[in-house]
Structure formats: structure tokens, C-alpha cells
Amino acid sequence: GLLWTPPNGRPWRTAVILSHPRGDFSVHYACPLLAAAGYAVLGFGTRYMNNDTDCLHESCTIDVETVYNEMKRRGAEAVVLLGNSGGGSLMALAHAERGIGDGWVGMAAHPGEGVFMLQVIDPSVAQEDDPFSTVPELDMYNPDNGWRPWPEPCVYDKGWLARYRAAQVERVARIDAIAKASIAESTDALGRLRGVDAQADPKQWRELRRRGVFTKYLTIYRTLADPAYLDLSIDPDERPMGSLFAFPDPFDANYGRGGLARTMTARGWLSTWSGLSSHAKLADTMPKVKVPTILIHPTADTEIRVWQAKEIVDNSGAADKTYVEMKGAPHYLEGHRKEALGHVADWLAKRFP
């Protein structure tokens, strides 16, 4: 991480800390702007920076607490948690589980990485080990269901969309079952291993040991299939067609190299990308966030809907909560960053030294 401080040696009394489960926030655009406004700002990366294959949010919260304690050690009278994008759910989880933070700032924060996966995972995958296996009736990229090649907009029937959303949940549940079964088998083997003498029965000890330490890796294909990317009548706002994870057509990213959660350990999937199992879910954690709260939402964000942003604020347990919309701003707030951080700085100035 990097500690940014006010220019010309000006003293500071409040610190802002920010991170993301896998992103390097040491040079985040918020850092110099908030430092210029008079705050100490520590942007940092967790132990999983640039690689969330085995990302455990529960371990990330330890990293957040460590940075929080460091800023208190350096003399901060107040420490405010700032969560941008996937960092929003991380910072809320850290506050809820570890009781740290005197304020919570969300910027383009989505409801949680697992919740986000629930809306973008392709439910038409018929077999997890076959990237081309498809249930045609559930394929948003099937012309029979309303898809048209880029850049023509698509139109999806509302009844079909309801079935699609249900099928997305079903696919995540199937992956969860695979992950949980693998972990259960390892746990069972380790339990049985405790009753085996390695010297007296080395063959059985070896078999149980290798099964006990085994880590299953999941290859999760096709994770960019939100019909709202191509049908702007779904949850309308000011977003353009497409996704920030694809340039320009989500179809390519759904099938192409890389992609969200493409390779995960069983436990990493359950902790981070499963909308059914991950604890980093703002619907669960925001009621426990009772410190002053502000959410900055860019209305042209291709990934986060206006209703989701409002729901995050509504679910906050804070008596003091603020919601600000940045009209026409994209997810990364290009062209709107000074204005957005101006709102944050003004909000901070009224509440913290």
C-alpha cells in the first residue's frame, strides 16, 4: 500500500483506507484527491491482489483490520472505510465482522461479488466441463430468445427473463454443490486420518493424507451473460449498451479468454463469487453498518443498476446516510472523479476532524 498525506506537510487527523479483494488500490484515483482535501489516505492491496483464485473474503477482512490498526497507531482520530466496486462489499464485511471503521463510503459499489455473479453468469451451460454445452431455451445469445448481433439492440421477453434469472440461481447452486462436496470429502478424510498411525499403516495414512489436503479447482465457463447488457429496457438507466468487461460485445467475453471467476478453488468460489454462499453480501452486512454512510452511484454504470444502489443505502443500519447520483458517469467515474470525491470530501468535513 501507499500512504498519501496532505500536501506541504499539513497535519491530518482523519484517515481514509481503501482496498479491493484483488485490485491494487495504492494508486486509486481517490487517494490524491482526498489527500489534497486534508486527509491521510492509505490505498492498499490484499494478499490476493491480481489473483482471486483462492480469494477468501474472511482473510481479506484481516488485511483491512491490519491497515485500520496501522492508521490508528499513526495517530488517526477517526478511520473511514472506502469501498469502490467490489471493495464496497469487502469494507462492509470488515466493519460488520471486525467492528472497525468510523464511517463507510461506497463508490460504484455493487451488492457483492457473488450477487453480481448471480446476474451475469450464463445459465444455459448444460455441463460444467464443456464450455460449448448449451440449453438453447436459456441462451441469451440465441436469436430465438431475442438476441441480435452487435451493435443491434436485443429485446428479451419478460417471462423468458424471469425463467432466465431463476436458472442463473440454479447454476450457482449446482456449482456450490460441487464445491461443498469436495470440501466435505477433504474434511472427512482429515478426520479419519487422525485415527491412523502413519508408521503402522503407511498406505492408509498416505491415501487419507492426500485426500485430506486435496484442493479442487473449478473452471467456470461463460460468466458474462446479463441480458440487461443488450436490452436497455431492463432496469433502465443512463448506461450504454454492453459491459465494462467486454470491448465492445459481451458475447466475446462470455466465451473468450479470461473472464470473471474463470478458475477458482472450491473454497474461493464459495467465499467470493457464490451469490448463495458468500458472506460478502451487502444485503446482509449493511444493516450492521451503523456508522455514517455515503454511497456515490454513477448512473451510466453498465454493471450496477440504480435500484441496487438505492437498496444498498436503504439497507444501511446508519441513522446518518447519504445517497448521491452522478448523472451520466460510468463505473470508473472517468470525467467525474473530482466532482465525486468533492462530494465525499464535503461529507467527511461535516463529520470527521
Side-chain angles (χ1 to χ4, degrees):
L2 292 175
L3 176 60
W4 301 67
T5 54
N8 303 318
R10 285 159 45 199
W12 56 269
R13 296 166 63 192
T14 294
V16 178
I17 63 174
L18 58 152
S19 189
H20 185 281
R22 64 190 175 280
D24 178 8
F25 274 17
S26 64
V27 289
H28 191 281
Y29 58 80
C31 296
L33 293 172
L34 290 179
Y39 301 94
V41 189
L42 206 163
F44 65 100
T46 74
R47 67 190 73 186
Y48 303 109
M49 190 168 73
N50 293 333
N51 183 5
D52 71 340
T53 301
D54 193 41
C55 179
L56 304 181
H57 266 74
E58 292 74 17
S59 296
C60 289
T61 64
I62 297 173
D63 300 347
V64 176
E65 183 177 30
T66 301
V67 172
Y68 169 86
N69 290 338
E70 173 64 13
M71 295 315 298
K72 295 294 286 187
R73 186 189 71 81
R74 287 173 180 258
E77 296 177 28
V79 178
V80 176
L81 310 179
L82 191 155
N84 175 213
S85 192
S89 51
L90 169 59
M91 290 301 180
L93 182 67
H95 177 81
E97 290 199 344
R98 302 195 169 273
I100 58 173
D102 302 295
W104 184 88
V105 178
M107 296 182 62
H110 54 63
E113 292 192 301
V115 179
F116 176 72
M117 179 58 66
L118 275 176
Q119 74 186 38
V120 299
I121 198 166
D122 189 337
S124 69
V125 172
Q127 299 177 30
E128 291 299 328
D129 60 352
D130 181 354
F132 296 107
S133 64
T134 302
V135 179
E137 298 80 7
L138 293 173
D139 186 3
M140 71 167 274
Y141 297 111
N142 182 343
D144 294 340
N145 297 326
W147 175 76
R148 295 293 180 270
W150 184 274
E152 188 177 346
C154 305
V155 178
Y156 298 104
D157 176 77
K158 289 184 178 180
W160 176 88
L161 183 61
R163 295 191 296 273
Y164 187 91
R165 295 301 190 199
Q168 288 179 301
V169 175
E170 291 169 4
R171 185 182 175 201
V172 170
R174 290 196 301 270
I175 298 172
D176 276 20
I178 295 170
K180 289 177 179 179
S182 175
I183 292 172
E185 289 169 5
S186 297
T187 302
D188 176 67
L190 287 174
R192 292 161 57 196
L193 181 65
R194 287 194 288 268
V196 177
D197 187 323
Q199 303 303 318
D201 195 345
K203 287 186 177 180
Q204 186 181 12
W205 186 92
R206 171 186 174 275
E207 182 63 18
L208 291 174
R209 180 66 179 172
R210 70 175 185 170
R211 291 184 179 277
V213 299
F214 175 72
T215 298
K216 186 177 186 64
Y217 284 80
L218 309 172
T219 301
I220 303 162
Y221 294 108
R222 290 155 53 187
T223 55
L224 204 69
D226 184 356
Y229 287 147
L230 302 179
D231 183 348
L232 299 183
S233 71
I234 300 171
D235 298 327
D237 51 21
E238 297 177 315
R239 70 186 185 276
M241 205 165 71
S243 165
L244 66 84
F245 299 109
F247 305 97
D249 188 354
F251 176 92
D252 294 345
N254 194 50
Y255 286 93
R257 71 172 65 89
L260 301 173
R262 187 66 78 243
T263 304
M264 300 293 298
T265 62
R267 67 178 191 171
W269 164 263
L270 294 171
S271 178
T272 293
W273 285 112
S274 169
L276 302 179
S277 298
S278 174
H279 296 298
K281 186 186 303 182
L282 290 180
D284 296 337
T285 55
M286 286 307 292
K288 301 174 184 177
V289 177
K290 301 184 185 300
V291 294
T293 294
I294 182 173
L295 178 67
I296 308 291
H297 176 67
T299 60
D301 194 328
T302 58
E303 312 306 317
I304 306 162
R305 311 293 167 248
V306 171
W307 71 265
Q308 292 176 316
K310 290 181 177 179
E311 190 174 69
I312 290 170
V313 177
D314 289 343
N315 285 340
S316 171
D320 177 357
K321 48 190 176 184
T322 304
Y323 173 66
V324 178
E325 288 186 352
M326 301 297 299
K327 295 294 184 180
H331 182 74
Y332 294 120
L333 289 162
E334 299 96 319
H336 302 262
R337 292 173 178 174
K338 286 187 177 181
E339 181 185 357
L341 272 302
H343 287 300
V344 176
D346 290 344
W347 179 86
L348 287 168
K350 295 174 183 176
R351 294 163 177 81
F352 301 99

